[in-house]
Every structure is written in structure tokens, then in C-alpha cells.
Amino acid sequence: MAETVWSTDTGEAVYRSRDPVRNLRLRVHLQRITSSNFLRYQPAAQPGKDLIDLATFRPHPTASGHRSEEEEEEEVVIGWQEKLFSQFEVDLYRNEAACQNPLDHQYRQEILKLEASGGRKNRRIFTYTDSDRYTNVEEHCQKMTTAAREVPSFLVERMANVRRRRQDRRGMEGGILKSRIVTWEPSEEFVRNNHVINTPLQTMYIMADLGPYGKLGYKKYEHVLCTLKVDSNGVITVKPDFTGLKGPYRIETEGEKQELWKYTIDNVSSLAQPEEEEREQRVFKDLYGRHKEYLSSLVGTDFEMTAPGALRLFVNGEVVSAQGYEYDNLYVHFFVELPTTNWSSPAFQQLSGITQTCATKSLGLDKVAYFSYPFTFEASFLHEDESADALPEWPVLYCEVLSLDFWQRYRVEGYGAVVLPATPGPSWSPVSSGKGCGVCWTVWRDSASRVPFTACW
């Protein structure tokens, strides 16, 4: 007999599915391998025989009346959130006094129906669903590491108190938000309570009762075979992973009679038929089409499209400061001159501007006037050839720096002119008579392909 190759990788596996999780089906196979009381040998061998009779290896009937072969091996197919009762739950919910909430009474009615129809089909394999108390306790008490003396961190303590699968309540009712989206002045306690993940999540446990013969229904013999978690994004987490081509998993029980069990977990979900896939594709296509129409209705049709072969120039600029001038109370008059060939601007567009009058401040040996005056303008160049060589001329920015004296007279302090750069480069300043007026801006150019880029000078 070949030696069994065990699978020791019991970590989590993550899958993403677009199909409804209710179509998930798992086949779980559980089998006992060894038992301290399984083999019964005869006290002495019969004369003339050197080998043990094979009949001595045959298991004997148990006190419950079932033959041990029925308890040595079991296989069930389980659906998502399908409830299979354990012997402990059957014994518990038979007593009506033990039912404390509506779910307990519901389980009691289901158990009574099962007994009326011949009893439950499963014996050792059972499940805990998302609504069971076991799921609450298991998520609260689970450890983050394998250390024997684990000290939970603050984040672990906070996460243990979060029922992630209970966080999918809607925050809107009748289109009105129940709470504020933004908390402008969060307290320290608010930050502590909300600095956790709250993705909606559902959990399911596939369990096994590995008690000895005639002793099913004891909590101490319950073992977790598989943990399933599904969130609202269609992410399925399985721990341990499906067996597939790997070897079975093993469980060694503790106690006076140590036993070895093996089990496998296989995904037996039925594949969609070609007709169903085609119908699903039509539904998705119709859904995406309706969503596209909905987004188009929100955006509207008021956006202006760029004409083919046109180059649109958007300039967002700022007159920053002026320094080195003799007089105080400075202001800047600027305007943009467009070339006469193939350049144009909208009728409402202003290609000139005047800053506010600004008093100067001493900065070392110079006097500086800080304007921080923003401006913007738009222009278009219509030409079939969009290459750089096809632009014979480029817009020019002219600046005039003036001052206002005590008698409300205007004096011209200097002029400046510069061609707007066509490519990104360093900051620049129009300079006149050895004095400067700093200008910086961001330019968006939009061609027929409507692919914008940002350049700062």
C-alpha cells in the first residue's frame, strides 16, 4: 500500500467570482485512518498458524447499534450558508426551554421536521452559518499569529470588536444621509473607533465531530475543517484551500485514544451552460448600456468639442511680484497679443488685465510688491498640420509696470515682453530697465485628440 502524501499547507486561498455565491457547492470527504481501539487482536495464535486471521481486523458493532463502517467514512455536498445540524445541536434544540431567540426556535422546527422525515443524513460533518453564535465567538477570539503567548495589539483589539459582515447597512434612507460624510473635527476616540476595515463580510464554517463511537455531540470533539468568507466584492476566502490535486489534510485528535483522520475539500459547483452564459452576457450588456446612458444624462451635452485639426491653448497664470523699482504703490498692466494668422479667441475672452495697486515691502536692499494676481485666457490655432514647425508665430505677453504717486498721478516704471514658451521649461520673468516683474503660470494645450498636458514656466 502506497504511503499517503499529506497536504501541510493550511493557509488561506483567495478567489474572485462574478457568479452569485449561492451557486457555490463543496464536497467534503472525511475518513478515519487509525484508531487505538479499532484493531482487536486475539489473545494467542492458533496452533499451526503463523499469521493472524483477517477476521480479527474487522470492526465490531458499536453500542449505538450502528456498524462502525458507517462512522469511519462520510461524504457530503454542502452549499453556501447551508445549515447541517450537529448531534449537539439536535440534542440542544429538542428542549424547547433551550431556545432563547427566534433563530433557536427556527432551528427547533427544522430539527423536528428532520426527525419526522427520517432523521438527518449527516452524522459527523456539520456547519455553522453566518447567523450562528459560534461565528461571533470564533471571530472575536481568533489569534493573529501562531505564538503561544500572543499579546494582541491595539488594532487587533479594535478589529475583534468589529462585526464586519454586519456593517453593510445602508447609510441613506429616502435620499437623505443619516450621518455626515465628513467629520471636520474628529476626536481621538472617533479616530480610534473608525480606523478599522468594515467591508461587508459573511462567514461559514464546515465542522466535524470527531468523537469516539457512541460519544457524538460533545463540544470538545468539534474541529474546524474549512472556513469560508465572502465579501460584497465577490472575493471568496477559503482556509484551507481546495484539495484538488494535492494530498488530503490530516487531523490528529488528543486524549487517551489518539486517532488520525483525513479529509478532502473539492469545489463541485456546476458549470454554467452555454445558453446561460449567453443570457448572462446579454444581461450584462444591457446593464452596462443603461449605466452608460445614466452617466451621459448626468454629464449632459453642454461640453464644447475641439474641432478637428485645431489646437486650443488654455493659460492659467499669476502675476506674482515686482521688485527693484524706484517708487511705491506699484501695479501691472498686461495683455496678450495673438498673431494675426490662424489665431483667434472667443468673443467674451479678455486678453488683458490690471492688477491691484500694491505697496512695497523691504527685502534686503530692494523693495518688493507682492500682487499674487491670477489671470486666465484661451486661444485657438486652426491648422491642419499640428507639428511644431507649422506654427509660424506664437502669442506674446506684454507687461507694463506703473506707479501711483501722492497726487494720484500715474508713472510708467518699465515695460517688458516675452513670447509664451511652447515647451515646458524653467520659470521666467519679463525684465525691463534692469527691473523685474515675476510671472508664473500653468498652460493646458488641447489638440484634436483631446489629450491634455500640463507645463509650468
Side-chain angles (χ1 to χ4, degrees):
M1 183 177 178
E3 184 179 356
T4 303
V5 180
W6 301 103
S7 178
T8 58
D9 185 8
T10 58
E12 293 183 348
V14 180
Y15 301 90
R16 182 180 293 273
S17 175
R18 294 175 57 184
D19 293 333
V21 70
R22 64 175 179 270
N23 297 330
L24 180 64
R25 294 292 183 273
L26 301 181
R27 182 176 61 226
V28 182
H29 182 268
L30 177 67
Q31 183 180 4
R32 187 200 304 264
I33 299 301
T34 62
S35 174
S36 59
N37 61 347
F38 182 73
L39 300 179
R40 300 178 183 272
Y41 298 95
Q42 295 181 355
Q46 297 180 3
K49 293 186 178 181
D50 297 332
L51 300 177
I52 301 177
D53 190 356
L54 291 178
T56 60
F57 293 91
R58 183 177 304 166
H60 292 259
T62 60
S64 60
H66 296 277
R67 294 191 59 85
S68 55
E69 288 89 344
E70 300 177 4
E71 296 191 0
E72 295 300 323
E73 187 174 0
E74 184 176 355
E75 180 177 296
V76 295
V77 176
I78 304 173
W80 173 247
Q81 296 298 333
E82 180 180 353
K83 179 61 179 177
L84 299 180
F85 294 100
S86 64
Q87 185 63 43
F88 174 81
E89 291 176 313
V90 171
D91 298 337
L92 175 65
Y93 295 123
R94 280 175 180 168
N95 184 10
E96 188 174 2
C99 301
Q100 301 177 358
N101 52 50
L103 182 62
D104 294 347
H105 289 282
Q106 177 184 342
Y107 284 169
R108 170 178 166 80
Q109 296 300 323
E110 293 179 4
I111 290 174
L112 294 178
K113 290 180 181 179
L114 285 176
E115 292 180 347
S117 60
R120 58 192 181 98
K121 304 300 181 182
N122 62 302
R123 294 193 56 80
R124 292 187 178 273
I125 301 176
F126 62 98
T127 61
Y128 285 126
T129 63
D130 187 71
S131 302
D132 290 329
R133 287 189 292 268
Y134 177 86
T135 308
N136 290 313
V137 177
E138 184 69 15
E139 289 188 356
H140 182 78
C141 300
Q142 64 182 350
K143 293 185 178 181
M144 298 292 109
T145 65
T146 57
R149 298 182 178 180
E150 175 185 337
V151 179
S153 63
F154 169 77
L155 183 58
V156 172
E157 292 178 351
R158 300 306 305 178
M159 288 296 298
N161 295 327
V162 174
R163 291 285 291 156
R164 294 206 291 165
R165 61 180 181 279
R166 302 303 184 197
Q167 299 295 327
D168 54 349
R169 302 184 180 91
R170 297 184 180 271
M172 299 184 65
E173 182 175 323
I176 303 176
L177 289 174
K178 290 185 177 180
S179 60
R180 293 175 296 176
I181 298 178
V182 179
T183 302
W184 296 106
E185 297 180 357
S187 62
E188 183 177 354
E189 184 66 21
F190 177 85
V191 174
R192 287 175 172 265
N193 292 335
N194 289 273
H195 192 63
V196 292
I197 301 174
N198 59 351
T199 306
L201 191 72
Q202 285 187 315
T203 309
M204 178 181 180
Y205 293 90
I206 301 177
M207 310 289 294
D209 188 345
L210 304 183
Y213 298 130
K215 293 186 178 180
L216 298 181
Y218 290 88
K219 279 286 187 178
K220 61 181 180 180
Y221 296 128
E222 292 184 1
H223 292 265
V224 179
L225 299 183
C226 181
T227 303
L228 299 172
K229 296 181 180 180
V230 179
D231 66 11
S232 59
N233 299 321
V235 177
I236 303 174
T237 305
V238 184
K239 182 181 180 182
D241 192 9
F242 302 128
T243 306
L245 301 178
K246 301 182 296 183
Y249 300 104
R250 60 185 293 173
I251 298 179
E252 296 182 9
T253 61
E254 299 178 354
E256 298 179 357
K257 300 180 180 180
Q258 294 185 353
E259 296 175 342
L260 177 63
W261 295 79
K262 73 173 183 178
Y263 69 96
T264 58
I265 307 170
D266 297 308
N267 180 14
V268 293
S269 304
S270 59
L271 298 178
Q273 299 298 325
E275 297 80 7
E276 296 179 355
E277 292 183 354
E278 184 179 356
R279 183 169 61 253
E280 184 177 296
Q281 292 298 327
R282 290 198 302 266
V283 171
F284 277 120
K285 185 177 180 179
D286 181 66
L287 176 62
Y288 294 151
R290 292 177 181 271
H291 187 64
K292 182 179 179 180
E293 293 177 359
Y294 171 71
L295 294 180
S296 300
S297 65
L298 294 179
V299 173
T301 58
D302 297 335
F303 288 92
E304 180 184 358
M305 299 295 294
T306 304
L311 173 68
R312 300 186 68 179
L313 179 67
F314 296 89
V315 177
N316 293 321
E318 178 184 6
V319 180
V320 181
S321 62
Q323 70 179 52
Y325 293 96
E326 181 178 359
Y327 293 99
D328 200 355
N329 297 325
L330 301 175
Y331 67 95
V332 178
H333 178 209
F334 62 91
F335 65 92
V336 178
E337 182 184 28
L338 298 179
T340 57
T341 306
N342 297 329
W343 280 93
S344 63
S345 63
F348 61 86
Q349 181 69 67
Q350 291 185 355
L351 298 179
S352 62
I354 300 176
T355 68
Q356 74 278 12
T357 303
C358 182
T360 59
K361 295 181 60 177
S362 298
L363 182 64
L365 299 178
D366 293 333
K367 293 182 178 181
V368 183
Y370 295 99
F371 302 103
S372 298
Y373 182 85
F375 65 91
T376 181
F377 68 88
E378 171 188 348
S380 300
F381 177 79
L382 184 60
H383 200 276
E384 295 182 357
D385 189 359
E386 296 184 10
S387 61
D389 299 335
L391 300 177
E393 295 180 277
W394 198 252
V396 181
L397 174 68
Y398 294 94
C399 295
E400 180 184 17
V401 182
L402 303 97
S403 62
L404 182 65
D405 65 4
F406 177 78
W407 303 102
Q408 300 297 312
R409 294 178 299 184
Y410 302 96
R411 295 182 295 246
V412 176
E413 301 291 339
Y415 299 96
V418 66
V419 178
L420 298 183
T423 57
S427 300
W428 55 269
S429 300
V431 177
S432 166
S433 303
K435 301 159 186 178
C437 174
V439 181
C440 115
W441 54 37
T442 302
V443 178
W444 283 269
R445 293 195 304 175
D446 192 357
S447 63
S449 60
R450 302 188 70 223
V451 179
F453 72 92
T454 302
C456 183
W457 292 275

